[in-house]
Amino acid sequence: MVCQKVVVNEVSGWLRVFDDGSVDRTWTGPPQVEFMTEPVPPHDEFIDGVATRDVFVNKNLRLRIYLPETNPEDESKLPIILHLHGGGFCISQADWYMYYHMYTRLARSAKAICVSVYLRLAPEHRLPAPVNDGFSALLWLRSLAQGESYEPWLINHGDFNRVFLIGDSSGGNLVHEVAARAGKADLSPLRLAGGIPIHPGFVRAVRSRSELEQPESPMLTIDMVDKFLSLALPVGSTKDHPITCPMGYGAPDLDSLKLPPFLLCIAERDMIIDTEMEYYEAMKKAKKEVELLISPGMSHSFYLNKIAVDMDPQTAAQTEGLISGITEFVNKH
């Protein structure tokens, strides 16, 4: 007799957890959007001005590198943008098409090397596992800068004095955490020049007004927030955990953290805009250097929705504005 596995938790379309602890992340939502979750194979040749490769640092650390095409006569080094992907700490991969289409564009626009981390996922690897992965990636970049490791694209083209952290949604939470951890470490000769949390998943145990009143979006619903975090947070924790609520009572005082300049990117119609703004106000109160980039009329992670970017002129324009704002921030620092 074959025992049938029973689903004990499910996030519609994205993830199913079974009673034996196994997890199925096969996309079961609308088939017309499945392509956004398909992996894009690496390609050493330049396609639309960008080449990509995957690097295995160790058994826990794998990275995707985006190298923009440059003029061979231009010997100037390129800034390095370390990307921490979103997905509520539970889903998505660095090679998904939704990230590929965004970060090839950013690499071209900012003339920067993007390095995206394949983060370990919950519930198999609960927080702080992805924080550790992001910081390990930063330490690997330091080892390249010190000459202790070798990766030709980064060694030949990367400027280790201009390293930035960037993260989408839950990856924005990781930007804060990794930057805070970096502030306690000696990264020389590498310099962490800035952090760019995009629509970070900052929440608290008590629902904000925007969670109750803003419309849900394809990229974020109340159900997704609640279920993903129940699977990702350390057992027994609430959303007031420092990783999900860094501006809250349970987190280290922001005054005590050594942080680089931040560009906080938010969307006007994001369901969690209230708590993102609470973070911004707390950072300003702590006298941290933080700029705000608001995308009017947009919802959570709008720029990753390739269908909307292609079909809706407003989404296309706001995506271009977001990329331009990030490029300006990188060029300034």
Side-chain angles (χ1 to χ4, degrees), residues 17-33:
V17 181
F18 296 95
D19 54 356
D20 65 353
S22 61
V23 181
D24 181 7
R25 295 182 174 87
T26 306
W27 173 250
T28 59
Q32 63 268 30
V33 301

PDB file of all heavy atoms in Angstrom, residues 17-33:
ATOM      1  N   VAL A  17       3.783  22.401   1.136  1.00  0.00           N
ATOM      2  CA  VAL A  17       4.577  21.683   2.140  1.00  0.00           C
ATOM      3  C   VAL A  17       3.790  20.441   2.549  1.00  0.00           C
ATOM      4  O   VAL A  17       2.592  20.521   2.840  1.00  0.00           O
ATOM      5  CB  VAL A  17       4.846  22.569   3.379  1.00  0.00           C
ATOM      6  CG1 VAL A  17       5.696  21.815   4.393  1.00  0.00           C
ATOM      7  CG2 VAL A  17       5.528  23.870   2.975  1.00  0.00           C
ATOM      8  N   PHE A  18       4.471  19.282   2.568  1.00  0.00           N
ATOM      9  CA  PHE A  18       3.803  18.015   2.856  1.00  0.00           C
ATOM     10  C   PHE A  18       4.093  17.539   4.274  1.00  0.00           C
ATOM     11  O   PHE A  18       5.016  18.023   4.943  1.00  0.00           O
ATOM     12  CB  PHE A  18       4.236  16.951   1.838  1.00  0.00           C
ATOM     13  CG  PHE A  18       3.832  17.272   0.431  1.00  0.00           C
ATOM     14  CD1 PHE A  18       4.721  17.910  -0.435  1.00  0.00           C
ATOM     15  CD2 PHE A  18       2.566  16.956  -0.036  1.00  0.00           C
ATOM     16  CE1 PHE A  18       4.359  18.219  -1.726  1.00  0.00           C
ATOM     17  CE2 PHE A  18       2.180  17.266  -1.335  1.00  0.00           C
ATOM     18  CZ  PHE A  18       3.076  17.895  -2.181  1.00  0.00           C
ATOM     19  N   ASP A  19       3.308  16.559   4.695  1.00  0.00           N
ATOM     20  CA  ASP A  19       3.412  16.079   6.074  1.00  0.00           C
ATOM     21  C   ASP A  19       4.733  15.385   6.366  1.00  0.00           C
ATOM     22  O   ASP A  19       5.109  15.218   7.533  1.00  0.00           O
ATOM     23  CB  ASP A  19       2.234  15.157   6.428  1.00  0.00           C
ATOM     24  CG  ASP A  19       2.066  13.997   5.457  1.00  0.00           C
ATOM     25  OD1 ASP A  19       2.814  13.944   4.453  1.00  0.00           O
ATOM     26  OD2 ASP A  19       1.198  13.142   5.706  1.00  0.00           O
ATOM     27  N   ASP A  20       5.467  14.971   5.320  1.00  0.00           N
ATOM     28  CA  ASP A  20       6.770  14.353   5.562  1.00  0.00           C
ATOM     29  C   ASP A  20       7.902  15.382   5.558  1.00  0.00           C
ATOM     30  O   ASP A  20       9.078  15.023   5.622  1.00  0.00           O
ATOM     31  CB  ASP A  20       7.049  13.270   4.520  1.00  0.00           C
ATOM     32  CG  ASP A  20       7.174  13.827   3.100  1.00  0.00           C
ATOM     33  OD1 ASP A  20       6.922  15.033   2.908  1.00  0.00           O
ATOM     34  OD2 ASP A  20       7.527  13.041   2.194  1.00  0.00           O
ATOM     35  N   GLY A  21       7.544  16.678   5.475  1.00  0.00           N
ATOM     36  CA  GLY A  21       8.536  17.745   5.491  1.00  0.00           C
ATOM     37  C   GLY A  21       9.042  18.153   4.116  1.00  0.00           C
ATOM     38  O   GLY A  21       9.774  19.141   3.988  1.00  0.00           O
ATOM     39  N   SER A  22       8.665  17.414   3.076  1.00  0.00           N
ATOM     40  CA  SER A  22       9.116  17.758   1.727  1.00  0.00           C
ATOM     41  C   SER A  22       8.364  18.982   1.209  1.00  0.00           C
ATOM     42  O   SER A  22       7.267  19.303   1.686  1.00  0.00           O
ATOM     43  CB  SER A  22       8.935  16.572   0.775  1.00  0.00           C
ATOM     44  OG  SER A  22       7.570  16.203   0.676  1.00  0.00           O
ATOM     45  N   VAL A  23       8.958  19.642   0.228  1.00  0.00           N
ATOM     46  CA  VAL A  23       8.408  20.889  -0.318  1.00  0.00           C
ATOM     47  C   VAL A  23       8.378  20.800  -1.842  1.00  0.00           C
ATOM     48  O   VAL A  23       9.350  20.362  -2.464  1.00  0.00           O
ATOM     49  CB  VAL A  23       9.249  22.112   0.123  1.00  0.00           C
ATOM     50  CG1 VAL A  23       8.653  23.405  -0.429  1.00  0.00           C
ATOM     51  CG2 VAL A  23       9.360  22.180   1.644  1.00  0.00           C
ATOM     52  N   ASP A  24       7.274  21.202  -2.428  1.00  0.00           N
ATOM     53  CA  ASP A  24       7.131  21.251  -3.886  1.00  0.00           C
ATOM     54  C   ASP A  24       6.919  22.703  -4.298  1.00  0.00           C
ATOM     55  O   ASP A  24       5.956  23.338  -3.874  1.00  0.00           O
ATOM     56  CB  ASP A  24       5.949  20.384  -4.328  1.00  0.00           C
ATOM     57  CG  ASP A  24       5.766  20.373  -5.845  1.00  0.00           C
ATOM     58  OD1 ASP A  24       6.637  20.922  -6.554  1.00  0.00           O
ATOM     59  OD2 ASP A  24       4.749  19.830  -6.320  1.00  0.00           O
ATOM     60  N   ARG A  25       7.855  23.214  -5.103  1.00  0.00           N
ATOM     61  CA  ARG A  25       7.765  24.611  -5.560  1.00  0.00           C
ATOM     62  C   ARG A  25       7.397  24.694  -7.042  1.00  0.00           C
ATOM     63  O   ARG A  25       7.637  25.714  -7.676  1.00  0.00           O
ATOM     64  CB  ARG A  25       9.083  25.340  -5.285  1.00  0.00           C
ATOM     65  CG  ARG A  25       9.394  25.489  -3.794  1.00  0.00           C
ATOM     66  CD  ARG A  25      10.683  26.268  -3.553  1.00  0.00           C
ATOM     67  NE  ARG A  25      10.884  26.518  -2.131  1.00  0.00           N
ATOM     68  CZ  ARG A  25      11.494  25.666  -1.302  1.00  0.00           C
ATOM     69  NH1 ARG A  25      11.960  24.503  -1.769  1.00  0.00           N
ATOM     70  NH2 ARG A  25      11.624  25.954  -0.015  1.00  0.00           N
ATOM     71  N   THR A  26       6.827  23.642  -7.593  1.00  0.00           N
ATOM     72  CA  THR A  26       6.377  23.671  -8.978  1.00  0.00           C
ATOM     73  C   THR A  26       5.254  24.699  -9.131  1.00  0.00           C
ATOM     74  O   THR A  26       4.305  24.703  -8.354  1.00  0.00           O
ATOM     75  CB  THR A  26       5.856  22.285  -9.411  1.00  0.00           C
ATOM     76  OG1 THR A  26       6.859  21.304  -9.150  1.00  0.00           O
ATOM     77  CG2 THR A  26       5.509  22.274 -10.887  1.00  0.00           C
ATOM     78  N   TRP A  27       5.387  25.565 -10.127  1.00  0.00           N
ATOM     79  CA  TRP A  27       4.375  26.605 -10.344  1.00  0.00           C
ATOM     80  C   TRP A  27       3.052  25.962 -10.756  1.00  0.00           C
ATOM     81  O   TRP A  27       2.990  25.184 -11.703  1.00  0.00           O
ATOM     82  CB  TRP A  27       4.843  27.585 -11.418  1.00  0.00           C
ATOM     83  CG  TRP A  27       3.795  28.583 -11.822  1.00  0.00           C
ATOM     84  CD1 TRP A  27       3.121  28.643 -13.005  1.00  0.00           C
ATOM     85  CD2 TRP A  27       3.285  29.663 -11.020  1.00  0.00           C
ATOM     86  NE1 TRP A  27       2.229  29.696 -13.000  1.00  0.00           N
ATOM     87  CE2 TRP A  27       2.299  30.337 -11.798  1.00  0.00           C
ATOM     88  CE3 TRP A  27       3.556  30.120  -9.730  1.00  0.00           C
ATOM     89  CZ2 TRP A  27       1.599  31.446 -11.326  1.00  0.00           C
ATOM     90  CZ3 TRP A  27       2.862  31.225  -9.254  1.00  0.00           C
ATOM     91  CH2 TRP A  27       1.903  31.871 -10.043  1.00  0.00           C
ATOM     92  N   THR A  28       1.977  26.277 -10.043  1.00  0.00           N
ATOM     93  CA  THR A  28       0.648  25.728 -10.352  1.00  0.00           C
ATOM     94  C   THR A  28      -0.377  26.831 -10.604  1.00  0.00           C
ATOM     95  O   THR A  28      -1.571  26.568 -10.669  1.00  0.00           O
ATOM     96  CB  THR A  28       0.144  24.824  -9.205  1.00  0.00           C
ATOM     97  OG1 THR A  28       0.078  25.591  -7.989  1.00  0.00           O
ATOM     98  CG2 THR A  28       1.063  23.633  -9.001  1.00  0.00           C
ATOM     99  N   GLY A  29       0.102  28.060 -10.744  1.00  0.00           N
ATOM    100  CA  GLY A  29      -0.793  29.173 -11.015  1.00  0.00           C
ATOM    101  C   GLY A  29      -1.089  29.280 -12.506  1.00  0.00           C
ATOM    102  O   GLY A  29      -0.896  28.318 -13.266  1.00  0.00           O
ATOM    103  N   PRO A  30      -1.550  30.448 -12.959  1.00  0.00           N
ATOM    104  CA  PRO A  30      -1.884  30.629 -14.369  1.00  0.00           C
ATOM    105  C   PRO A  30      -0.705  30.298 -15.286  1.00  0.00           C
ATOM    106  O   PRO A  30       0.405  30.819 -15.080  1.00  0.00           O
ATOM    107  CB  PRO A  30      -2.248  32.118 -14.461  1.00  0.00           C
ATOM    108  CG  PRO A  30      -2.665  32.490 -13.072  1.00  0.00           C
ATOM    109  CD  PRO A  30      -1.826  31.658 -12.159  1.00  0.00           C
ATOM    110  N   PRO A  31      -0.913  29.425 -16.288  1.00  0.00           N
ATOM    111  CA  PRO A  31       0.205  29.002 -17.138  1.00  0.00           C
ATOM    112  C   PRO A  31       0.831  30.132 -17.946  1.00  0.00           C
ATOM    113  O   PRO A  31       2.009  30.065 -18.297  1.00  0.00           O
ATOM    114  CB  PRO A  31      -0.434  27.946 -18.060  1.00  0.00           C
ATOM    115  CG  PRO A  31      -1.909  28.163 -17.976  1.00  0.00           C
ATOM    116  CD  PRO A  31      -2.171  28.727 -16.625  1.00  0.00           C
ATOM    117  N   GLN A  32       0.067  31.201 -18.213  1.00  0.00           N
ATOM    118  CA  GLN A  32       0.598  32.288 -19.040  1.00  0.00           C
ATOM    119  C   GLN A  32       1.691  33.089 -18.335  1.00  0.00           C
ATOM    120  O   GLN A  32       2.416  33.850 -18.990  1.00  0.00           O
ATOM    121  CB  GLN A  32      -0.523  33.224 -19.512  1.00  0.00           C
ATOM    122  CG  GLN A  32      -1.269  33.961 -18.410  1.00  0.00           C
ATOM    123  CD  GLN A  32      -2.509  33.205 -17.940  1.00  0.00           C
ATOM    124  OE1 GLN A  32      -2.536  31.973 -17.997  1.00  0.00           O
ATOM    125  NE2 GLN A  32      -3.521  33.939 -17.515  1.00  0.00           N
ATOM    126  N   VAL A  33       1.821  32.950 -17.017  1.00  0.00           N
ATOM    127  CA  VAL A  33       2.888  33.672 -16.311  1.00  0.00           C
ATOM    128  C   VAL A  33       4.009  32.735 -15.853  1.00  0.00           C
ATOM    129  O   VAL A  33       4.973  33.188 -15.241  1.00  0.00           O
ATOM    130  CB  VAL A  33       2.339  34.455 -15.099  1.00  0.00           C
ATOM    131  CG1 VAL A  33       1.297  35.462 -15.545  1.00  0.00           C
ATOM    132  CG2 VAL A  33       1.746  33.527 -14.043  1.00  0.00           C
TER     133      VAL A  33
END
